[in-house]
Amino acid sequence: MTDLYETIRLHGFGDVAREHRRSRPHLLAVVDGAVRLDFTAFDRRTTQLANALADRGVARGGRVLWLGQNSFRILETLIACAKLGAVFCPANWRSSADEVTTLLRDFDPAVVIWQDAEVGETLRKAREASGGDRLWLQHDAEGQGSYEGLLAAGSETDPDTRINAELPLLAVFTAAFEGKPNAALLSHSTLMYQNLIVGRGQAIDEDSVHLNSGPLFHLGTLMGALATFHLGGANVFAARVDAVGLLELIQAEKATHAFIPAPTIEQIREVNKEGLYDVSSLWSSPAAPEWKYPMCMPADAPMLRKLGGYGQSEVMGLISFAYLGGTAAGRVSPMAQVTLLDDEGREVGPGETGEFAVRGPLVMNRYLGADRENQRRGRFGWHLTNDLGKRAEDGSLIFVGPKTAIIKSADENIYPADVEGCIRQHPAVADVCVIGVPDPTWKQNVKAVIVLKPGQSASEADIIEHCRAKIASYKKPKLVTFVDALPKFAGTPFTDRKAVDAAHGGGGYPSFG
Amino acid sequence: MTDLYETIRLHGFGDVAREHRRSRPHLLAVVDGAVRLDFTAFDRRTTQLANALADRGVARGGRVLWLGQNSFRILETLIACAKLGAVFCPANWRSSADEVTTLLRDFDPAVVIWQDAEVGETLRKAREASGGDRLWLQHDAEGQGSYEGLLAAGSETDPDTRINAELPLLAVFTAAFEGKPNAALLSHSTLMYQNLIVGRGQAIDEDSVHLNSGPLFHLGTLMGALATFHLGGANVFAARVDAVGLLELIQAEKATHAFIPAPTIEQIREVNKEGLYDVSSLWSSPAAPEWKYPMCMPADAPMLRKLGGYGQSEVMGLISFAYLGGTAAGRVSPMAQVTLLDDEGREVGPGETGEFAVRGPLVMNRYLGADRENQRRGRFGWHLTNDLGKRAEDGSLIFVGPKTAIIKSADENIYPADVEGCIRQHPAVADVCVIGVPDPTWKQNVKAVIVLKPGQSASEADIIEHCRAKIASYKKPKLVTFVDALPKFAGTPFTDRKAVDAAHGGGGYPSFG
C-alpha cells in the first residue's frame, strides 16, 4: 500500500515536460533560429531522444556531455536525461583542447554531443587525446552520427519511467579556488525547488520569454532557463552574443527575461540609441534600473526590486536572496539552513565571521568522483562553502569573501574583503583588490591593487595611512600599486582574484583545512 | 561519502523554524491574545515541546491530536511534531461526542491536546467512551496535566534530529462522499512545495500577517497559515469568528491575509460601515473585489487577480490554480501531473470527461489505517480523486463534479453539474442543485432543487421545457422543487449535496469501482 503511494508521489524533472504537454499543448516551449517547438513537440522529441539514448545504453546514472554553444538541444538533452535518470553536463565550450581533454577524462561521459562550428578543431583534438569509448553526436549536422539522426530513430512511445527526484540530473563544473574544477551533481528536487524560488523572484510565469544569451554552462543563465521551462514559459536560444542579433531576438520574440553581460548591454544601448528596435518587452525604458544588471527581468520582479544574494554552483546558484528580506545578501532560502562554522565545525558567536555552511535540498548530491573532497566539504554534517560570511543583527547574511583567499601575515588571518572595504572609503579610490604576496619573514604581505577615480590622485603612503587610521594595523597594506582597471569575471562586477594574483605577484595563501 | 551528503540534504519542516531563528530572530512568529512570540521564542518553545513529548514516548511516526479551537499552539505542536518526525492532526472541534469517539479510535493518538472551554463536556464524554492509553494535555489551563506544564518541563537543547521530508507530518480528516472520513497523511515535502506555490499565489512574504479566522482543521485556512510561517510572516490566531473581534485584530495587527467566511465578511461590512476600524491592511476599499472571497489576500496577489482552482485534502488543498494560466480551474501545479482516467484506468480521449488522477509530491502518503482504500484509490499508479473533470482545448482543467454523485438513469450516466449548468441559464434561477432520487424502473430520476431570484417565478414545467431545449432529453429533470436557499458548506459557495439529498429524497447513486 505504502509502496503504491510512494510511486505515485514520484516526480522527476521529466514529468514537468509530460505535464506541459497535457496542460500547455499549444504554448511555445523553445525557439532557436528557424526552430519553434510547442510543448507537445518538445515532449515528443525528448521522449524520442531518451528512447534513442536508452537504445545506445544510456541508463540511470549514465552521463551525457554537451560541448557546444547555446542551443534548444541543451534543454532537450537535459529533459531526455531527466526521463532516463541520467546526468547531463553542459560544459564550457570556450575551453582549450587540454581543458576539454581533462574534462572528458574526469566526467567520462557515455555520450558527447558536440558542435563543429567554431570549436570543431579543439574538440577533435581533445577527442583524440582523451580516448575512451563514447558515442559522439554532432548537433550542427544531419544524418548519420548526428543528434538529429539519433533522435529521429527513437520511438515516440513514452515508457514513463518513474524517477526519484533525489537522483542527480545536472552536473556543473565549478572553478575551485585551488586545484582542478569539480563537477557538482545537482538533483531533480534541487532544480525544482530552485525553480519555484527563482521563478517567484524573477516573476517568471507561462507568459515569460527567456532569452538565453548568457552561457548555459553557468547557473546565472541556467537558473532562469530552467525556471522558465518549469513554469511553462518559452526559452529562446542565442548561440552568440552580439548586440544586433540580440536586439532582433528581443523584438521578434518579445523577450521578458535575459542574461546579458554588462558590456553587451552597453553595446545594445549604443546600437539602439535611435530606438530602431522595440525592446519594451525587456526594459521599460533605456533609463530604467533593469538595464543595469546581466540578469534582466520585469521591472516589478522581486529580485530586480531588491537585487542581491549569496550562492555558488554547489547550492544551485543562490542560497540567499535580498528579495526575501533583510539587508546585504538577504535572507536564507526557504528550503535551506545556513550556519557559520569555525575550522572545528563549531558555530561562531553572534556577529562573528565564519564559513557559510549549508543544509537542505538545494545542496548538491556530491562532487562527481571526488570522494576526498566530499568527505572534506561535508565533514561537519553541513556543506562547507569555502566562503566566509557573517550575520547582520537582523539575521541577514553578509558575504565577507572566499575563505581560501585569506591572507596570513605573522599568523594573523586577514580577510581581503575587510581591507578592501576600508580602502574603498578613500575618496580617490574607484576600485580595489587586496591580495597576499609571499614574504619569507611574515609568510605573506598585504598588497592593494587600486584603480583611482578619473582626475583623482593618491600615493602609496596616503592609502597606507588611511588604513592605519581605520583598521587593525596588521591588516594595512604594505604594498600599493595603481592600475587602470581590474580584471572581472565576464558580465559580472566580480574581480578575478586569480588574474590579479598572476599580474601582481600574489600567492602563498594558507591552504584550507 | 554519498551518505554524508544525503544527510546534509535533509530538510524537515522543523528545520524551517530552526532557520527562522537564525534568519529572522526578532520578527514576529505568532500572536494569540496576550501571547506574542518572535521566531527565537517560537523555535525555543517548539524544541521544548518536542523534547517533552519525546520524554513521554512520542517518537517518529507517533500521533498527536488537537481537539480545540484555533490557537498558536496548533502551529507550535505541528512544528514540535515535525522535529520529532511525528504526525499531527488538527481535528474538528465542532464534532459530536460520538464523532470524536470514532476519531479517537481511528486516529489512536498517543497524545491528545484538548480544550475545556466550550467543548470540554463533549470531549470528556468521548474520552471516556473511546478508552485507550493516551496522554491528555489541556491547552487552556496551567500546571500539572496542561500543555504549558508539559512544555515548561522540556529541555531547551535542540537534539537537531534529521527528518526525511518524505515522512508524514500532517493528518487531515476528509469527508469521503460515502462511508466514514479518512485521515489523509501529508508529508513534510508536500507541505513545503505547497507553501512555495500558495505563497507566490497569495503574495505571502515576511511582511505578511495572516489572520487565522477560519478553522485550522481545514486546508483553506491551513494552507495560508503554513505558507506564512514558512516564508517568515506572522500568524495571528482568533479562537472564534465574530465581526467586532476580527475588526479589532485586523486593525491592531494590520492583517494582510485571512480566511473569513462570507457571512462574517458581510457582518464586518455592516459593523464597520462608519469606518470605525482601519481595515486598509486587508482590503484596499470596501468596494474592492478582494472583499468577496473567504480567502482574503492583497489586491495584487496572483490568486486574487485570478481566483479558482481544483483540489482536495488528499493533494494538500489545491492541485490546479487559475493564477498559473488558462481558463476554468486553471493549470496544473508545477509539482504535479494530472490525467483523466476511465474506470479501467485508461486515459480518456481529448475533451472527454474522466476522473481526475494525480501524481507527484503534492499527493498524500496514504490514508491512515485504510489499506483497502489506499489500494483502491492508487490502483492505476495515480491517485484517483473521485472527482470528474475534463481538459479545455488549451489544456486547462475543468471540474465537472464529484464522481460519486453521478446519477444513473436507464443506464445513462448523468452528471449533476451538466444539468445544473443548463438550469442556471434560466433567467429566473438564482441557485440550483441537481440530485438523483431512487426509481424502481429507471434506477434514478433527475430532480432539480431550485432557488428562484427575488420577484421571479418559474414553474416545474418551465424548467423541464428549458432543459429539453438545451441538453440531451435523458438529462432533463423529471422532478423540480423550489426552495428558499440551498445548504452550503460553511464559509464556501459550495452546496452540501448530502444535505440536499437528505431533505429531498436523494439516493440510489451508483457506487464507484
Side-chain angles (χ1 to χ4, degrees):
Chain A
M1 261 59 69
T2 306
D3 288 341
L4 198 57
Y5 268 85
E6 265 176 27
T7 306
I8 288 172
R9 285 172 46 77
L10 293 177
H11 189 80
F13 198 43
D15 290 328
V16 171
R18 294 186 174 103
E19 184 54 38
H20 281 331
R21 186 181 196 162
R22 295 188 198 94
S23 276
R24 299 174 171 89
H26 314 306
L27 295 193
L28 200 58
V30 294
V31 176
D32 189 349
V35 175
R36 305 181 76 81
L37 302 177
D38 62 22
F39 282 108
T40 305
F42 183 83
D43 182 60
R44 186 178 56 238
R45 279 176 55 94
T46 57
T47 291
Q48 286 186 275
L49 182 58
N51 285 333
L53 289 171
D55 291 344
R56 303 298 291 257
V58 179
R60 198 161 296 201
R63 290 188 293 280
V64 178
L65 181 69
W66 176 270
L67 281 172
Q69 290 166 308
N70 283 359
S71 161
F72 75 105
R73 297 189 181 102
I74 291 179
L75 192 55
E76 275 191 351
T77 311
L78 175 77
I79 296 300
C81 286
K83 289 183 172 180
L84 292 168
V87 177
F88 177 67
C89 177
N92 189 339
W93 56 271
R94 291 199 182 96
S95 307
S96 69
D98 280 357
E99 286 170 327
V100 176
T101 304
T102 305
L103 182 82
L104 284 162
R105 286 180 182 149
D106 284 355
F107 190 61
D108 193 19
V111 178
V112 181
I113 303 170
W114 68 287
Q115 176 177 319
D116 189 30
E118 304 210 29
V119 290
E121 197 180 338
T122 304
L123 298 184
R124 270 182 282 265
K125 273 188 209 158
R127 178 175 180 173
E128 196 169 328
S130 64
D133 179 23
R134 318 180 199 286
L135 175 63
W136 286 70
L137 296 170
Q138 189 182 339
H139 95 90
D140 55 347
E142 304 278 324
Q144 186 74 16
S146 77
Y147 176 99
E148 290 296 333
L150 185 86
L151 187 149
S155 161
E156 290 184 11
T157 304
D158 187 353
D160 196 22
T161 311
R162 301 289 77 214
I163 301 297
N164 189 312
E166 293 307 296
L167 284 177
L169 167 57
L170 182 67
V172 177
F173 276 87
T174 75
F177 288 99
E178 34 187 275
K180 67 185 184 64
N182 284 309
L185 298 180
L186 301 158
S187 73
H188 295 245
S189 63
T190 299
L191 267 65
M192 293 191 287
Y193 273 122
Q194 191 70 307
N195 290 343
L196 296 179
I197 295 161
V198 167
R200 179 170 182 183
Q202 298 197 11
I204 292 168
D205 59 28
E206 70 173 26
D207 297 326
S208 298
V209 178
H210 187 264
L211 178 58
N212 292 282
S213 38
L216 281 163
F217 51 82
H218 279 164
L219 281 170
T221 303
L222 204 49
M223 277 193 298
L226 296 177
T228 301
F229 173 73
H230 195 162
L231 295 165
N235 272 290
V236 178
F237 296 83
R240 66 180 53 262
V241 175
D242 72 280
V244 171
L246 292 187
L247 279 164
E248 283 170 354
L249 277 175
I250 293 164
Q251 174 173 277
E253 305 300 339
K254 297 185 171 55
T256 57
H257 294 73
F259 188 99
I260 307 181
T264 310
I265 291 192
E266 284 312 311
Q267 286 166 24
I268 285 178
R269 262 192 225 267
E270 182 60 26
V271 169
N272 201 35
K273 65 186 168 197
E274 312 284 334
L276 284 175
Y277 296 92
D278 176 5
V279 294
S280 59
S281 61
L282 190 57
W283 294 297
S284 55
S285 90
E290 65 265 28
W291 267 88
K292 288 187 192 154
Y293 308 104
M295 268 192 205
C296 307
M297 61 190 92
D300 61 351
M303 269 175 76
L304 191 77
R305 275 155 47 185
K306 218 170 160 194
L307 200 84
Y310 162 74
Q312 58 178 206
S313 298
E314 290 88 336
V315 297
M316 194 67 210
L318 283 165
I319 203 74
S320 81
F321 296 86
Y323 94 78
L324 293 173
T327 51
R331 305 268 195 226
V332 172
S333 162
M335 291 310 300
Q337 291 189 83
V338 172
T339 192
L340 292 158
L341 300 181
D342 68 15
D343 286 351
E344 277 73 47
R346 290 175 303 231
E347 294 200 353
V348 303
E352 284 180 27
T353 296
E355 182 174 1
F356 282 138
V358 189
R359 287 201 303 212
L362 294 174
V363 177
M364 67 173 181
N365 289 42
R366 61 194 161 90
Y367 293 114
L368 177 70
D371 283 349
R372 213 165 59 106
E373 187 69 3
N374 292 327
Q375 198 84 309
R376 195 166 76 80
R377 299 289 285 275
R379 68 187 182 282
F380 300 130
W382 295 76
H383 166 68
L384 300 173
T385 59
N386 259 356
D387 282 324
L388 296 167
K390 50 189 178 183
R391 292 264 185 189
E393 210 277 333
D394 74 351
S396 313
L397 298 190
I398 298 168
F399 175 66
V400 170
K403 181 163 184 180
T404 42
I406 287 180
I407 298 167
K408 203 97 177 177
S409 188
D411 286 316
E412 291 284 3
N413 285 337
I414 300 167
Y415 303 128
D418 271 1
V419 187
E420 286 162 7
C422 171
I423 295 175
R424 271 181 217 285
Q425 292 170 39
H426 191 286
V429 171
D431 202 357
V432 58
C433 177
V434 166
I435 61 174
V437 293
D439 180 87
T441 309
W442 307 108
K443 286 184 183 158
Q444 289 185 294
N445 283 326
V446 177
K447 181 173 186 176
V449 184
I450 289 175
V451 181
L452 292 175
K453 290 178 185 163
Q456 302 272 321
S457 68
S459 68
E460 178 166 21
D462 291 342
I463 298 295
I464 293 171
E465 193 46 44
H466 167 84
C467 292
R468 192 200 309 276
K470 290 182 180 289
I471 52 174
S473 179
Y474 69 86
K475 294 185 184 172
K476 71 176 187 302
K478 280 198 180 155
L479 305 160
V480 178
T481 191
F482 297 94
V483 295
D484 290 332
L486 288 168
K488 303 286 174 179
F489 291 110
T492 81
F494 301 119
T495 301
D496 182 345
R497 292 176 178 279
K498 275 188 160 172
V500 180
D501 278 340
H504 299 280
Y509 295 97
S511 64
F512 173 82
Chain B
M1 261 57 71
T2 308
D3 289 341
L4 199 57
Y5 268 85
E6 266 177 26
T7 306
I8 288 171
R9 286 172 44 76
L10 293 176
H11 188 80
F13 198 44
D15 290 328
V16 172
R18 294 187 174 102
E19 185 54 40
H20 281 331
R21 186 181 195 162
R22 296 188 199 92
S23 276
R24 299 176 171 88
H26 315 306
L27 295 193
L28 200 58
V30 294
V31 176
D32 189 349
V35 175
R36 303 181 78 79
L37 303 176
D38 62 21
F39 282 108
T40 305
F42 184 84
D43 183 59
R44 186 178 56 238
R45 279 176 56 94
T46 57
T47 290
Q48 286 186 273
L49 181 59
N51 285 333
L53 289 171
D55 291 344
R56 304 299 289 259
V58 178
R60 198 160 296 202
R63 289 187 294 279
V64 177
L65 181 68
W66 176 270
L67 281 171
Q69 290 166 307
N70 283 0
S71 161
F72 76 105
R73 297 189 181 101
I74 290 179
L75 192 54
E76 276 191 350
T77 311
L78 175 77
I79 297 299
C81 286
K83 289 182 172 180
L84 292 167
V87 177
F88 176 66
C89 177
N92 188 340
W93 55 272
R94 291 200 180 96
S95 307
S96 69
D98 280 357
E99 285 169 327
V100 177
T101 304
T102 305
L103 182 82
L104 284 163
R105 287 181 181 149
D106 284 354
F107 191 62
D108 194 20
V111 178
V112 181
I113 304 171
W114 68 287
Q115 176 177 320
D116 188 31
E118 302 210 29
V119 290
E121 197 181 336
T122 304
L123 298 185
R124 271 183 280 264
K125 270 187 210 159
R127 178 175 179 173
E128 196 170 327
S130 63
D133 179 25
R134 318 180 200 287
L135 175 63
W136 286 71
L137 296 170
Q138 190 180 340
H139 96 89
D140 55 347
E142 303 279 324
Q144 186 73 18
S146 76
Y147 176 100
E148 290 295 333
L150 184 88
L151 187 149
S155 160
E156 290 184 12
T157 305
D158 187 353
D160 196 22
T161 311
R162 301 288 77 215
I163 300 297
N164 189 313
E166 293 305 297
L167 284 176
L169 167 58
L170 182 66
V172 177
F173 275 88
T174 73
F177 287 100
E178 36 186 275
K180 67 187 184 64
N182 284 308
L185 297 180
L186 301 158
S187 75
H188 295 246
S189 63
T190 299
L191 267 66
M192 293 191 287
Y193 273 122
Q194 190 69 308
N195 290 342
L196 296 179
I197 295 161
V198 167
R200 179 170 182 183
Q202 298 198 9
I204 292 168
D205 59 27
E206 71 173 27
D207 296 325
S208 298
V209 178
H210 187 264
L211 178 57
N212 291 282
S213 38
L216 281 162
F217 51 82
H218 279 164
L219 282 170
T221 303
L222 204 49
M223 277 193 296
L226 296 176
T228 302
F229 173 73
H230 195 163
L231 295 166
N235 272 291
V236 178
F237 295 84
R240 65 180 54 262
V241 174
D242 72 280
V244 171
L246 292 188
L247 278 164
E248 282 169 355
L249 277 175
I250 292 164
Q251 174 173 277
E253 305 300 339
K254 298 186 172 53
T256 57
H257 295 72
F259 189 98
I260 307 181
T264 311
I265 291 191
E266 284 311 312
Q267 287 167 24
I268 285 178
R269 260 193 226 267
E270 181 60 27
V271 169
N272 201 34
K273 65 186 168 196
E274 313 283 334
L276 284 175
Y277 296 92
D278 177 4
V279 294
S280 58
S281 61
L282 191 57
W283 294 296
S284 55
S285 90
E290 65 265 27
W291 268 88
K292 286 188 193 156
Y293 309 103
M295 268 191 203
C296 307
M297 62 190 91
D300 61 352
M303 268 175 77
L304 191 77
R305 274 156 49 188
K306 217 169 160 194
L307 200 84
Y310 163 74
Q312 59 177 206
S313 298
E314 289 88 336
V315 297
M316 194 68 208
L318 283 166
I319 203 74
S320 81
F321 295 86
Y323 94 78
L324 293 173
T327 52
R331 303 268 195 225
V332 172
S333 163
M335 290 310 299
Q337 292 189 83
V338 172
T339 192
L340 292 158
L341 300 181
D342 68 15
D343 287 352
E344 277 74 47
R346 291 175 301 231
E347 293 200 353
V348 303
E352 284 179 28
T353 296
E355 182 173 0
F356 281 138
V358 189
R359 286 201 303 212
L362 294 174
V363 177
M364 65 172 182
N365 289 42
R366 61 193 160 92
Y367 293 113
L368 177 70
D371 282 348
R372 215 166 58 107
E373 187 70 1
N374 291 329
Q375 198 84 307
R376 195 166 76 81
R377 299 290 284 277
R379 70 186 181 282
F380 300 130
W382 295 77
H383 167 68
L384 300 173
T385 60
N386 259 354
D387 282 324
L388 295 167
K390 51 189 177 182
R391 293 263 185 190
E393 209 277 334
D394 73 352
S396 313
L397 298 191
I398 298 169
F399 175 66
V400 170
K403 180 163 184 179
T404 42
I406 287 181
I407 298 167
K408 203 95 176 179
S409 189
D411 286 316
E412 292 283 3
N413 285 338
I414 299 167
Y415 303 129
D418 271 2
V419 186
E420 286 162 7
C422 171
I423 294 175
R424 271 181 217 285
Q425 292 170 38
H426 191 286
V429 170
D431 202 357
V432 58
C433 177
V434 165
I435 60 174
V437 292
D439 180 88
T441 309
W442 308 107
K443 286 188 183 153
Q444 288 186 294
N445 282 325
V446 177
K447 182 173 186 176
V449 184
I450 289 176
V451 181
L452 290 175
K453 289 177 184 163
Q456 302 272 323
S457 67
S459 68
E460 177 167 23
D462 292 341
I463 298 295
I464 294 171
E465 191 47 42
H466 167 86
C467 292
R468 191 199 310 274
K470 289 182 181 287
I471 53 175
S473 180
Y474 69 86
K475 294 184 183 173
K476 72 177 188 300
K478 280 199 180 152
L479 304 160
V480 178
T481 191
F482 297 94
V483 295
D484 290 332
L486 287 167
K488 301 286 174 180
F489 292 111
T492 80
F494 301 118
T495 301
D496 183 345
R497 292 176 180 278
K498 274 189 160 173
V500 180
D501 278 340
H504 299 281
Y509 296 97
S511 64
F512 172 83

